[in-house]
Amino acid sequence: MVEALLKVDDLQAWYGESHILHGVGFEIGHGELVTLLGRNGAGKTTTLKSVMGIVEKRTGSVTFEGRQLVGHPSNEIARLGIAYCPEERGIFSSLNVEENLLLPPVVKPGGMSLAEIYQLFPNLEERKRSQGTKLSGGEQQMLAIGRILRTGAPLLLLDEPTEGLAPVIVQRIGEIIRQLKSRGFTILLVEQNFHFAATVADRHYVMEDGRVIDMIASADVQQNIGKLQTYLGV
Amino acid sequence: MFELLGIPPQALFGQLLLGLINGAFYAMLSLGLAVIFGMLNVINFTHGAQYMMGAFAAWLMLTQLDIPFWAALVLSPLIVGLFGIVLEKVMLKRIYHLDHLYGFLLTFGLALIIEGLFQWKWGSSGAPYPSPIPGGTNLGFMFLPTYRGFVVVAALVICLATWYGIERTKFGAYLRAATENPTLVRAFGINVPRLITLTYGLGVGLAALAGVLAAPIQQVSALMGVNLVLVVFAVVVIGGMGSIMGSIVTGFGLGLVEGLTKVFYPPASNTVIFVVMALVLLIKPAGLFGQTK
Amino acid sequence: MTTQRTVTLVLLAAALVAPWFAYPVFLMTALCFALFACAFNLLLGYVGLMSFGHAMFFGMAGYFYGHVVKAWNMPPELGLLAGVAGAAALGLVTGALAIRRQGIYFAMITLAFAQMVYFFCVQAPFTHGEDGLQGIPRKALLGGLIPTKDDRVLYYVVLAIFLFGYAAIYRFIHSPFGQVLKAIRDNEQRAVSLGYEADRYKLLAFVLSAALAGLAGATKAMVLQFATLTDVSAAMSGEVVLMALVGGLGTIIGPVVGAFIIITMQNYLAAAGEFVLVIQGVIFVVIVMAFRKGLVGELADWWKSRRRAG
Ligand SMILES: Nc1ncnc2c1ncn2[C@@H]1O[C@H](COP(=O)(O)OP(=O)(O)OP(=O)(O)O)[C@@H](O)[C@H]1O
Ligand SMILES: [Mg+2]
């Protein structure tokens, strides 16, 4: 691995007075697909939000393409080329599907065109005039992923894109994520569904109580399966 | 000539026109209130004072600087809107995280200050503003002063343009999205704090624009917005703040209801909007176009 | 709490000797506003409902008092009763409608109803419109037992009325009923799921608050012998909010302190004309921006932190 695209070091974060992250560290190289695994409440979402600057009270270091992100507001961080797909999907009910897709501004050249996105998600094109929140759960997830592909951001932060979805759709999302990787996107994926994560990722970081406690490469997963099961409590 | 229920048509249509004009102001003001509330979570009690400032700015421009009405129609909302932007940056911004009540109290205090200062400097008796389009047309059933006709049309155009801007443009999509989930919109790279400031400036500018339009019809006075803002609150409760089109329809509709009341039962014309509010609260508490409780 | 008891006793003693040190009419007016502010604060501080239309109860009760005592030539006790009952009835009607909405809408709705009452008062014959109801006779109380021509005697009557109202609020807040209200204020959904009919409780508190505001308004009409549009105006509704805010929302003594401060200020600034409004506006802004707990709240905090330090 050459220079990491995203490098997180001793990241601490707070919600008001409660101290949630206690020194998170990991890194992602260009074009890699890395997951954050961990039980409920381990701090995965908080890590993404702290990278993104949505959680503002944070210390430590987060560098993206060598630039320090800690201390900057989320709108500036997004403009540097990081796109975020939240756990709760965040589809806007007062916007129709196409407006939802077109909402995030283009921050760098080289993003996908609307036509390409519709090609990837044909359902969305059929329903482009529907209210965003009228879509099914799976379609909403596709919309949430689709709308950050236009921006040209090279790094995607995806928070549990398979949560609560039927197996067929999980499979479809897995295919899409692999396609995105082959298109050159760098992806940080938060997952609880380890079996899903194992099929797409290069490496896995395991989080517990606001810390990264282990790193396992995909190739070593089989040897470490027992350890992983203890970590994730499955 | 024909008569309607014993009411001469001149009086009936005259009052309907007046009602339509009042309705135009209700619509423009409640639109601004709703947009501001959506983004800032603040009920802008200063709205009436800012409407007054719009009228005053136009009057001062005319009497002190010889700037004509048509230029004031553009300049005055800009100036008052800028003033709003300063207020937002200096004060409102610091209280968004608090209960709605504090925004209400703060803007109430600001209204007292602004109106008190204007009253102190220029007194509370009104000053006339000459009509920019004198004359009128006899339509047979009524006499239509040209300027009043213009105000109704202009207000309608302004309201529809606002609706278009919010419901059909990219900027409007940002506004709607940020009203729902400002954090996420910001995480997409939009400078939401600036969007909020701008929204307040626009809402205030809209109030000032209404004030300029009102200047040639009403007397320009420090207290011209005091009662108006209270009626507009009732309009907002009746319409609900969820829908832009709802605000427009409710505003014009209530103006007409008021005009009709003036024809058929004048003593109730001041209070009829509040009676309608009571009825709406009884029948559809969320407001005619409201979704949230 | 011994400090609290000491403070109460000192205040009570001060209230008893006050008319020898200050102008009794001023004191009586201030007491009426203090009761008015306490009534308002009962709703905001303990139920979490901000009424921006409380002047309708205060002002209307003044008119009721005046009409009963002057036009119907009845004893003042009946006037006070009419004021309280009238305000309570008005509170029942407006409250039942207003509590159908929450939060800031509640404030706007009460404000709108108060404006409706104001417009009604401008036109209704018995209020005498712009002139107001003037020259309400001061009659002896309790069938002639208590003469009221002397301001100092009347002062003690007003003090007694104030203490009665204050005690009623105190009892109410500390009753089981008051506890339910606090639970509703803090978490309405939870209170509802525990089986409390939140709206009933809120309405009852609203009516009680309106009745006490009415008592304050009727007493003021008895003291000053007139009732005017000023007391039903939106400005008056704003003023009582200001009093409670200056003193400290949600503290039981705060509104009393706030009322005395604002009334004193108005006395000294009477000559300043429009500037009184500007100054009131400035106070609103300063308090919201910097001292949201009000005087009593901030003092209590300061006292606590000093104790902890010392
Ligand atoms: N807004 C908040 N305020 C306070 N504490 C919070 C907030 N959001 C999350 N937490 C706490 O922070 C901790 C980490 O939460 P986080 O959402 O990051 O976990 P997670 O790993 O994403 O869990 P999940 O798998 O359930 O999504 C939890 O203990 C949670 O209770
Ligand atoms: Mg999570």
Side-chain angles (χ1 to χ4, degrees):
Chain A
M1 192 164 55
V2 215
E3 172 69 8
L5 181 65
L6 181 78
K7 194 165 184 320
V8 176
D9 194 22
D10 191 29
L11 180 63
Q12 315 225 6
W14 290 259
Y15 285 115
E17 293 297 303
S18 44
H19 192 166
I20 305 292
L21 299 185
H22 306 266
V24 171
F26 63 90
E27 53 185 67
I28 310 174
H30 285 274
E32 261 195 310
L33 200 167
V34 168
T35 65
L36 286 180
L37 303 174
R39 299 181 201 203
N40 281 329
K44 306 177 296 291
T45 298
T46 310
T47 303
L48 291 198
K49 287 186 175 174
S50 306
V51 168
M52 206 60 231
I54 294 172
V55 172
E56 291 180 359
K57 202 167 168 189
R58 63 211 201 277
T59 63
S61 162
V62 179
T63 54
F64 175 71
E65 294 177 331
R67 250 180 292 199
Q68 182 57 250
L69 304 186
V70 172
H72 290 270
S74 60
N75 51 312
E76 288 177 17
I77 293 173
R79 294 274 172 183
L80 293 176
I82 308 183
Y84 170 62
C85 176
E87 187 170 1
E88 65 285 354
R89 295 173 192 144
I91 303 304
F92 298 101
S93 66
S94 53
L95 273 60
N96 67 26
V97 169
E98 189 153 297
E99 283 175 323
N100 264 289
L101 269 181
L102 294 175
L103 188 79
V106 171
V107 297
K108 284 194 171 176
M112 290 168 65
S113 68
L114 193 60
E116 284 175 301
I117 295 172
Y118 279 145
Q119 211 172 3
L120 204 55
F121 306 105
N123 286 15
L124 297 184
E125 180 157 29
E126 280 164 33
R127 307 207 50 187
K128 65 184 175 187
R129 299 274 164 252
S130 315
Q131 190 187 345
T133 42
K134 290 269 162 68
L135 301 184
S136 70
E139 286 170 328
Q140 286 194 30
Q141 187 61 61
M142 312 248 173
L143 179 55
I145 297 176
R147 75 177 163 191
I148 59 173
L149 303 179
R150 258 183 67 255
T151 65
L155 175 61
L156 310 181
L157 312 183
L158 307 182
D159 198 345
E160 300 201 35
T162 62
E163 195 182 6
L165 298 179
V168 244
I169 299 174
V170 172
Q171 212 176 2
R172 174 86 191 108
I173 287 179
E175 285 162 25
I176 284 161
I177 289 177
R178 267 187 294 270
Q179 273 192 44
L180 294 178
K181 179 174 154 62
S182 67
R183 272 178 176 264
F185 283 105
T186 307
I187 298 172
L188 176 57
L189 175 69
V190 165
E191 260 308 326
Q192 290 225 28
N193 181 342
F194 169 71
H195 299 289
F196 172 77
T199 60
V200 292
D202 297 315
R203 284 183 299 131
H204 308 280
Y205 285 99
V206 182
M207 286 193 73
E208 200 170 285
D209 294 333
R211 291 179 183 84
V212 170
I213 53 163
D214 206 346
M215 194 271 279
I216 299 168
S218 258
D220 306 333
V221 163
Q222 283 316 316
Q223 292 106 292
N224 293 293
I225 201 81
K227 200 161 69 170
L228 264 171
Q229 276 169 350
T230 333
Y231 287 147
L232 303 178
V234 284
Chain B
M1 282 299 318
F2 63 97
E3 283 199 1
L4 250 170
L5 301 169
I7 308 280
Q10 302 286 350
L12 177 64
F13 288 105
Q15 289 299 347
L16 279 182
L17 176 65
L18 264 183
L20 215 49
I21 288 175
N22 280 335
F25 293 127
Y26 299 156
M28 278 191 278
L29 291 174
S30 60
L31 205 55
L33 270 188
V35 173
I36 290 174
F37 184 66
M39 280 293 274
L40 285 80
N41 270 331
V42 166
I43 292 287
N44 186 37
F45 215 132
T46 324
H47 224 62
Q50 283 150 345
Y51 160 87
M52 175 276 288
M53 286 173 82
F56 244 97
W59 177 75
L60 286 174
M61 281 185 216
L62 184 74
T63 52
Q64 311 290 314
L65 305 168
D66 269 332
I67 297 176
F69 176 82
W70 304 104
L73 202 54
V74 178
L75 288 176
S76 169
L78 278 179
I79 295 169
V80 182
L82 268 177
F83 167 79
I85 285 179
V86 174
L87 276 190
E88 197 277 342
K89 287 240 165 214
V90 178
M91 294 188 189
L92 288 174
K93 186 182 166 166
R94 294 170 211 282
I95 55 152
Y96 296 148
H97 61 286
L98 302 172
D99 192 291
H100 291 170
L101 176 146
Y102 289 105
F104 197 64
L105 295 177
L106 177 66
T107 51
F108 176 68
L110 288 171
L112 286 182
I113 296 175
I114 296 169
E115 280 157 352
L117 285 176
F118 273 75
Q119 206 182 349
W120 169 69
K121 184 78 178 64
W122 285 287
S124 48
S125 60
Y129 189 105
S131 171
I133 337 176
T137 328
N138 196 340
L139 301 178
F141 55 91
M142 69 175 290
F143 179 77
L144 175 69
T146 315
Y147 181 72
R148 297 191 172 213
F150 163 77
V151 167
V152 173
V153 175
L156 205 57
V157 169
I158 291 165
C159 286
L160 293 178
T162 310
W163 172 83
Y164 184 87
I166 292 172
E167 296 292 341
R168 292 287 181 271
T169 66
K170 190 72 196 261
F171 177 77
Y174 288 146
L175 277 189
R176 279 175 283 144
T179 299
E180 266 184 68
N181 187 346
T183 313
L184 184 58
V185 172
R186 192 169 187 192
F188 284 151
I190 313 277
N191 191 335
V192 172
R194 189 182 298 161
L195 193 63
I196 291 177
T197 309
L198 204 62
T199 306
Y200 190 70
L202 285 174
V204 169
L206 200 57
L209 185 57
V212 183
L213 286 175
I217 296 180
Q218 294 167 358
Q219 298 274 326
V220 176
S221 88
L223 303 180
M224 65 192 284
V226 175
N227 285 339
L228 184 60
V229 74
L230 302 182
V231 177
V232 171
F233 282 164
V235 174
V236 160
V237 172
I238 293 169
M241 284 193 282
S243 146
I244 298 294
M245 213 31 124
S247 296
I248 301 174
V249 172
T250 313
F252 276 98
L254 286 172
L256 283 178
V257 167
E258 211 178 40
L260 284 175
T261 314
K262 232 171 237 159
V263 178
F264 293 104
Y265 188 59
S269 61
N270 276 333
T271 43
V272 65
I273 290 189
F274 303 109
V275 175
V276 173
M277 180 184 86
L279 290 176
V280 168
L281 284 172
L282 264 181
I283 298 159
K284 195 164 183 296
L288 296 178
F289 299 89
Q291 302 110 340
T292 48
K293 192 177 175 184
Chain C
M1 275 266 261
T2 49
T3 357
Q4 204 171 335
R5 181 159 300 172
T6 326
V7 170
T8 312
L9 285 176
V10 170
L11 283 179
L12 211 56
L16 287 173
V17 298
W20 274 271
F21 297 94
Y23 187 48
V25 173
F26 162 77
L27 290 173
M28 288 187 276
T29 316
L31 279 176
C32 292
F33 278 103
L35 180 57
F36 182 26
C38 287
F40 164 82
N41 185 57
L42 166 69
L43 211 50
L44 178 55
Y46 296 93
V47 198
L49 292 174
M50 185 173 78
S51 159
F52 220 95
H54 250 45
M56 63 179 149
F57 310 123
F58 186 71
M60 274 313 265
Y63 283 125
F64 289 145
Y65 176 87
H67 194 72
V68 167
V69 172
K70 191 182 173 195
W72 291 352
N73 198 18
M74 303 259 227
E77 290 86 350
L78 280 183
L80 291 176
L81 206 63
V84 172
L90 188 58
L92 186 67
V93 176
T94 54
L97 289 167
I99 58 169
R100 297 172 74 94
R101 297 296 295 272
Q102 276 144 9
I104 200 67
Y105 283 98
F106 182 86
M108 289 199 282
I109 292 166
T110 46
L111 182 58
F113 279 132
Q115 190 65 7
M116 176 173 165
V117 168
Y118 175 80
F119 282 133
F120 168 78
C121 289
V122 171
Q123 291 170 341
F126 84 100
T127 64
H128 299 270
E130 301 282 342
D131 299 333
L133 197 56
Q134 301 285 348
I136 305 167
R138 258 199 208 172
K139 298 180 189 167
L141 286 149
L142 298 182
L145 265 181
I146 306 179
T148 53
K149 295 276 188 262
D150 184 338
D151 281 342
R152 278 191 199 145
V153 176
L154 187 59
Y155 168 81
Y156 289 105
V157 174
V158 173
L159 182 62
I161 291 176
F162 168 79
L163 289 175
F164 164 79
Y166 192 80
I169 292 174
Y170 188 88
R171 285 296 300 274
F172 182 74
I173 292 169
H174 291 92
S175 70
F177 196 90
Q179 300 305 316
V180 176
L181 279 174
K182 271 186 230 167
I184 292 173
R185 176 193 66 184
D186 295 337
N187 190 343
E188 178 159 347
Q189 267 164 7
R190 205 178 128 209
V192 170
S193 71
L194 288 176
Y196 294 111
E197 284 188 58
D199 282 356
R200 283 258 184 100
Y201 282 85
K202 285 192 204 167
L203 182 56
L204 203 107
F206 193 85
V207 171
L208 183 70
S209 171
L212 288 169
L215 180 60
T219 309
K220 178 172 173 266
M222 173 172 81
V223 172
L224 297 181
Q225 299 178 271
F226 60 75
T228 61
L229 285 174
T230 315
D231 287 353
V232 275
S233 68
M236 182 57 70
S237 292
E239 219 164 86
V240 72
V241 180
L242 185 63
M243 289 171 185
L245 198 63
V246 166
L249 302 177
T251 59
I252 185 161
I253 191 82
V256 180
V257 176
F260 272 84
I261 292 176
I262 298 295
I263 297 297
T264 310
M265 189 193 87
Q266 283 174 349
N267 250 14
Y268 282 103
L269 294 177
E274 293 87 26
F275 243 86
V276 175
L277 285 185
V278 178
I279 293 168
Q280 283 189 357
V282 171
I283 299 177
F284 261 111
V285 171
V286 169
I287 292 186
V288 171
M289 300 298 295
F291 304 103
R292 279 184 285 276
K293 289 184 177 158
L295 196 65
V296 172
E298 300 282 347
L299 270 179
D301 275 8
W302 174 79
W303 183 250
K304 264 184 233 153
S305 69
R306 217 187 66 138
R307 278 200 153 176
R308 222 178 297 138

